Structure formats: structure tokens, C-alpha cells
């Protein structure tokens, strides 16, 4: 009897899992589509009123004034006067699809064992059927860089589109870069009987930097030699030296950013990106001189220094942009997977504190695309690029008006349903029936 009960519960669990799975990915585009009458936010700072955006075979075939194209050239026309069209938003440095339930260890693949593991590929752990991934699409987030966490050198990231059967189908740029977590020059010593924690110099700082330096030196020597015996960690960083991969250095402090930039220059690593950049404004001239972009942390946080303006994180995008630094927005931090759906509203906060609205849009479209190296086919509404875009009822950076009616990934119209939207409709029906 007990065995029969176990079988029953197993079947029940399986049926619940199947019925609550992600929507079936959309089929390849077969009919050409033209969106007319909307305000088009190109993603490069430009806006086209009364626009037309057309796409065929997954690629944008027209982006310009409505008067410049004939609707008869397209199979399907979506009339969108009063609405807004945007390129698909791009979430950088995210762990989307790597963790489903934090409390369930078996669903957590964001970090692996070891401090120096660049050969660990986050892409192969990406869960394309994640419910959290599904929850991002109704807010216009259609692409993401899936990045690893933990250790000094965490592994290799890849960029995915968010409507796929599996990680192979999802990948749009594989192994785009190596992620490094630069040591902190200061550490917080925890709360004790004597009072609250305080920041003190990290006695292990130089030792941790030396560990990274030794590894990189070893990799350079290995790659110049006969490569025997085979060393996967060393081979994984070869792209850092020939410029085919970027080094994403996660760090915030003024000293740490300076040390990290000098380290990269000394070791011949040409393409680096500062991730976090809480004090990047203090070394802006160094970043400009070396043409180094910054992926800023989410602005809804306190500043790193106790003497800083409490609103500094909100103003940081404008401060760096005004200096001529290429600025993007990344998603690491507390509750980062569920907060990824708020990506456009973080950009909206930058706009509320001085950054031009279209530049705020640009941060999570063209700028993130340029930083991730996918701007040749995404990030803006331009002829020849992927038709990864969406139509919003209003301003997509405002949670009150970011209401999507249509979304397309590579020309395929995707579902905007999610577990959350189903619950919303269910309980709205309940309350409306009770009135």
C-alpha cells in the first residue's frame, strides 16, 4: 500500500511539473510584420515619431518614418498609434537560469568549487525553462548575459535570448568573457560583543592579488609553450590575450579599480570591463584614458562611502556618461534573479536623477550590447539587426506604463504569459466577480 501511495504522489508531482512548465518557444518567423504609428525608441538615443518598424525572416528590414514604407510589402500589420516600440532590453551579468529555488541546492548552479576556474562554463548549466526567466519577458527583458559567481576567477559567461527549448538554442554569443572578482582592499569585521562591524585593511589583499597574478603568468607561459600536459583552466583564458574575450572585473573601490586596471595592462589583457563600479567616478580619468566601460550595479542601494551623497548611486550613470565613459547596467546583488525583471525601472531611476531618458534606454540596449559584444546584431532598431523588440503601451522605464502588448525575439512573436500573470488574472477575476 505504501508503494502504491509513493507512486501516486510521484505521478501527481510529475503532472504538476508538466502543467506548470514554461510556454512552448515560438516557431520561426514565416510572415513578415510591420509595426506602424508607434513612437520608436531606436536604442542609440534617437526617437522616431509616427514610425514604422518592419521585419522579415527574423531581421529588421525597415526602421524609419511611416511615410517611407508601404504596408502592402508586409503580410501582417500591427497598428500601434500612441504606443512605443523598443529594442529588447539586455540584462548583463545575471544568474538567470542558473538558480531556480535558492533553498534547493540541486537547483543552484551559479558557482562551482575552486577559486581559479575560468574553464567552468555557465552556459551549459542554463535552464531555458526557468520560471524566473519567463517572468522577465513581460517587462521587455529579452536577452541576458548568464554569468558565474564565486571565487577569484569564477568562470566563463555567455549571452542568451530568453525564448528557447534548451541552452543550445538560447545561446546567441558563447563564452564571451571571463569573470573575475577582484579582492577587497578593506574588509568588514563582523558584529560582536564590542559593537557593530567596522572596515579594516584586508591583510590578505596582496596575497590574493598574487594568486591571480601567478595564475595569469602561468597561463601565458603555458599558451606560449607546447601545451603539455593539457591544462583546461589555462586554455580557457587564451581569449584574454588575443582580444577575442573580455575580462569582466567585479570591483567597486577606487583603489581596487586602479589596481585591477594596472594589472590588466601589465599582463597584456586589452579588453576589460569594470563590473559594479561604485567608486568609478573617482577614477573616471583613468577609465577614459584606457577606454574601459563600466557595468554599474543596480542603483537602489546605499553608497559605498559613509560621507557620500546618499543619492550618489542614482546619479552615477550621469556622472560617468558626462565623462565620456560607456555605461551599462548589470544585475548582481541580493535577490538578483527575481529582481532582474526590474531592469528597466533601475534604468528609469538613472533617468529620474539627471540622465537623459533616451540615454537611460540606451544603457540597457545599445550600451549593454556594445559591452557584451553583440551590438552587430542587437541592441538597436536598425536595418539588418535581429528583430528582437517589443511594443509597450507607454514609457517602458516606468512600471506604471510598462505594459507590453507584443514581443518578438528574432522575429518570433513570444508569449507574455508567466506564472505571475496567470495568478494576476485569476485573482482579478475573483475580485471582479465579488463586486
Amino acid at each position: 500500500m505504501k508503494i502504491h501511495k509513493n507512486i501516486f504522489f510521484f505521478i501527481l508531482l510529475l503532472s504538476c511539473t508538466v502543467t506548470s512548465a514554461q510556454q512552448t518557444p515560438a516557431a520561426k518567423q514565416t510572415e513578415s510584420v510591420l509595426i506602424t504609428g508607434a513612437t520608436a525608441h531606436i536604442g542609440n538615443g534617437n526617437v522616431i515619431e509616427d514610425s514604422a518598424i518592419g521585419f522579415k525572416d527574423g531581421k529588421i528590414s525597415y526602421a524609419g518614418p511611416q511615410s517611407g514604407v508601404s504596408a502592402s510589402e508586409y503580410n501582417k500589420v500591427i497598428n500601434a498609434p500612441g504606443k512605443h516600440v523598443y529594442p529588447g532590453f539586455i540584462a548583463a551579468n545575471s544568474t538567470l537560469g542558473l538558480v531556480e529555488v535558492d533553498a534547493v541546492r540541486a537547483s543552484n548552479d551559479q558557482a562551482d568549487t575552486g577559486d581559479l576556474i575560468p574553464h567552468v562554463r555557465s552556459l551549459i548549466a542554463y535552464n531555458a525553462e526557468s520560471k524566473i526567466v519567463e517572468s522577465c519577458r513581460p517587462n521587455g527583458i529579452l536577452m541576458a548575459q548568464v554569468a558565474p559567481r564565486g571565487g577569484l576567477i569564477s568562470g566563463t559567461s555567455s549571452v542568451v535570448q530568453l525564448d528557447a527549448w534548451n541552452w543550445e538554442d538560447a545561446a546567441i554569443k558563447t563564452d564571451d568573457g571571463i569573470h573575475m572578482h577582484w579582492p577587497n582592499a578593506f574588509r568588514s569585521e563582523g558584529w560582536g560583543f564590542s559593537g557593530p562591524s567596522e572596515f579594516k585593511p584586508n591583510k590578505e589583499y596582496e596575497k590574493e592579488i598574487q594568486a591571480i597574478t601567478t595564475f595569469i603568468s602561468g597561463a601565458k607561459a603555458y599558451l606560449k609553450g607546447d601545451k603539455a600536459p593539457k591544462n583546461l583552466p589555462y586554455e580557457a583564458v587564451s581569449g584574454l590575450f588575443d582580444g577575442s574575450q573580455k575580462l569582466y572585473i567585479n570591483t567597486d573601490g577606487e583603489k581596487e579599480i586602479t589596481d585591477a586596471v594596472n594589472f590588466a595592462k601589465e599582463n597584456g589583457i586589452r579588453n576589460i570591463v569594470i563590473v559594479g563600479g561604485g567608486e568609478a567616478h573617482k577614477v573616471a580619468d583613468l577609465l577614459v584614458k584606457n577606454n574601459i566601460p563600466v557595468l554599474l550595479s543596480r542603483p537602489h542601494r546605499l553608497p559605498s562611502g559613509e560621507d557620500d551623497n546618499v543619492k550618489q548611486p542614482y546619479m552615477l550613470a550621469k556622472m560617468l556618461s558626462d565623462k565620456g565613459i560607456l555605461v551599462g547596467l548589470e544585475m548582481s546583488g541580493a535577490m538578483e534573479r527575481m529582481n532582474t525583471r526590474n531592469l528597466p525601472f533601475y534604468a528609469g531611476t538613472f533617468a529620474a536623477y539627471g540622465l537623459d531618458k533616451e540615454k537611460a534606454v540606451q544603457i540597457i540596449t545599445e550600451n549593454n550590447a556594445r559591452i557584451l559584444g553583440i551590438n552587430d546584431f542587437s541592441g538597436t532598431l536598425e536595418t539588418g539587426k535581429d528583430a528582437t523588440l517589443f511594443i509597450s503601451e507607454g514609457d517602458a522605464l516606468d512600471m506604471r506604463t510598462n505594459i507590453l502588448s507584443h514581443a518578438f525575439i528574432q522575429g518570433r512573436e513570444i508569449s507574455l504569459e508567466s506564472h505571475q500573470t496567470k495568478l494576476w488574472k485569476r485573482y482579478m477575476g475573483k475580485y471582479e466577480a465579488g463586486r
Side-chain angles (χ1 to χ4, degrees):
M1 187 63 152
K2 185 176 181 181
I3 294 175
H4 290 306
K5 284 184 177 179
N6 289 340
I7 293 174
F8 170 76
F9 285 123
F10 173 76
I11 294 173
L12 179 63
L13 177 63
L14 183 62
S15 65
C16 291
T17 302
V18 171
T19 57
S20 63
Q22 184 192 40
Q23 290 86 17
T24 301
K28 186 177 180 179
Q29 182 186 10
T30 56
E31 290 188 321
S32 57
V33 178
L34 182 69
I35 302 168
T36 62
T39 298
H41 303 262
I42 304 304
N44 58 8
N46 296 324
V47 175
I48 301 175
E49 303 288 349
D50 194 23
S51 70
I53 306 295
F55 46 98
K56 303 176 181 180
D57 301 321
K59 297 289 185 179
I60 296 175
S61 55
Y62 179 83
Q66 185 172 267
S67 59
V69 66
S70 173
S72 62
E73 299 175 21
Y74 293 83
N75 302 121
K76 180 180 179 180
V77 176
I78 301 174
N79 293 311
K83 296 184 180 182
H84 299 256
V85 182
Y86 293 86
F89 294 151
I90 305 166
N93 191 36
S94 167
T95 51
L96 274 179
L98 298 184
V99 183
E100 194 67 8
V101 181
D102 288 282
V104 179
R105 179 64 187 88
S107 76
N108 188 334
D109 291 311
Q110 69 175 337
D112 213 325
T113 304
D115 281 333
L116 301 164
I117 48 174
H119 58 300
V120 171
R121 304 175 69 217
S122 59
L123 179 62
I124 62 174
Y126 174 70
N127 174 19
E129 293 193 337
S130 167
K131 286 186 177 294
I132 307 170
V133 168
E134 181 183 272
S135 73
C136 292
R137 301 186 309 196
N139 282 355
I141 301 133
L142 306 181
M143 291 169 282
Q145 181 195 43
V146 180
R149 300 285 185 263
L152 295 174
I153 300 180
S154 309
T156 305
S157 62
S158 292
V159 186
V160 299
Q161 51 86 4
L162 304 187
D163 184 61
W165 288 103
N166 48 50
W167 64 263
E168 293 97 335
D169 295 340
I172 57 177
K173 186 175 178 65
T174 59
D175 304 328
D176 68 292
I178 306 294
H179 288 252
M180 175 186 291
H181 292 265
W182 194 260
N184 291 319
F186 294 86
R187 280 184 176 168
S188 174
E189 297 195 356
W191 190 285
F193 291 108
S194 60
S197 62
E198 58 181 324
F199 279 96
K200 292 185 176 180
N202 175 14
K203 297 178 182 178
E204 302 295 313
Y205 183 65
E206 296 298 334
K207 181 180 178 181
E208 291 170 343
I209 293 176
Q210 186 57 48
I212 296 173
T213 303
T214 299
F215 175 83
I216 293 298
S217 297
K220 291 166 70 176
Y222 169 85
L223 294 168
K224 289 179 180 179
D226 56 11
K227 301 181 182 179
K230 193 176 184 67
N231 188 304
L232 292 179
Y234 286 165
E235 293 197 1
V237 299
S238 62
L240 298 182
F241 306 114
D242 63 20
S244 62
Q245 283 183 312
K246 294 187 179 182
L247 179 62
Y248 296 90
I249 306 178
N250 294 258
T251 188
D252 283 303
E254 176 184 6
K255 173 177 172 54
E256 289 90 338
I257 294 173
T258 302
D259 289 347
V261 171
N262 290 334
F263 160 83
K265 291 172 63 178
E266 290 167 3
N267 286 280
I269 300 173
R270 293 175 285 173
N271 293 332
I272 74 170
V273 178
I274 297 298
V275 180
E279 294 186 349
H281 59 292
K282 297 181 179 179
V283 289
D285 292 340
L286 175 69
L287 298 175
V288 171
K289 179 181 178 182
N290 292 281
N291 195 29
I292 298 171
V294 177
L295 284 171
L296 287 177
S297 295
R298 290 141 41 185
H300 295 183
R301 57 184 172 82
L302 290 172
S304 54
E306 61 182 23
D307 295 325
D308 292 331
N309 185 334
V310 71
K311 297 178 181 178
Q312 180 193 300
Y314 304 154
M315 302 184 292
L316 196 50
K318 176 173 172 53
M319 294 166 67
L320 297 183
S321 295
D322 287 350
K323 288 283 189 177
I325 295 171
L326 178 62
V327 176
L329 178 57
E330 60 102 9
M331 293 310 302
S332 65
M335 302 172 67
E336 67 178 84
R337 286 163 298 282
M338 63 187 71
N339 275 321
T340 299
R341 66 177 181 266
N342 293 321
L343 173 70
F345 313 135
Y346 295 132
T349 297
F350 288 141
Y353 284 83
L355 190 66
D356 177 79
K357 177 63 71 68
E358 293 309 315
K359 285 188 176 181
V361 170
Q362 191 173 356
I363 279 179
I364 55 176
T365 54
E366 184 185 45
N367 287 11
N368 269 2
R370 287 176 60 189
I371 292 170
L372 303 185
I374 58 172
N375 58 301
D376 57 333
F377 61 85
S378 68
T380 55
L381 300 177
E382 295 180 283
T383 302
K385 292 194 174 183
D386 284 357
T388 299
L389 51 93
F390 64 90
I391 305 173
S392 174
E393 298 289 338
D395 181 359
L397 303 191
D398 187 335
M399 65 176 61
R400 297 168 299 180
T401 54
N402 179 320
I403 303 170
L404 272 63
S405 60
H406 300 77
F408 302 86
I409 292 179
Q410 297 169 334
R412 300 175 288 111
E413 184 167 8
I414 66 170
S415 169
L416 294 173
E417 284 290 339
S418 70
H419 183 63
Q420 286 78 13
T421 59
K422 289 176 182 176
L423 289 175
W424 169 64
K425 290 177 181 177
R426 176 185 178 188
Y427 287 103
M428 279 299 292
K430 172 187 176 182
Y431 290 122
E432 288 175 354
R435 287 177 180 175

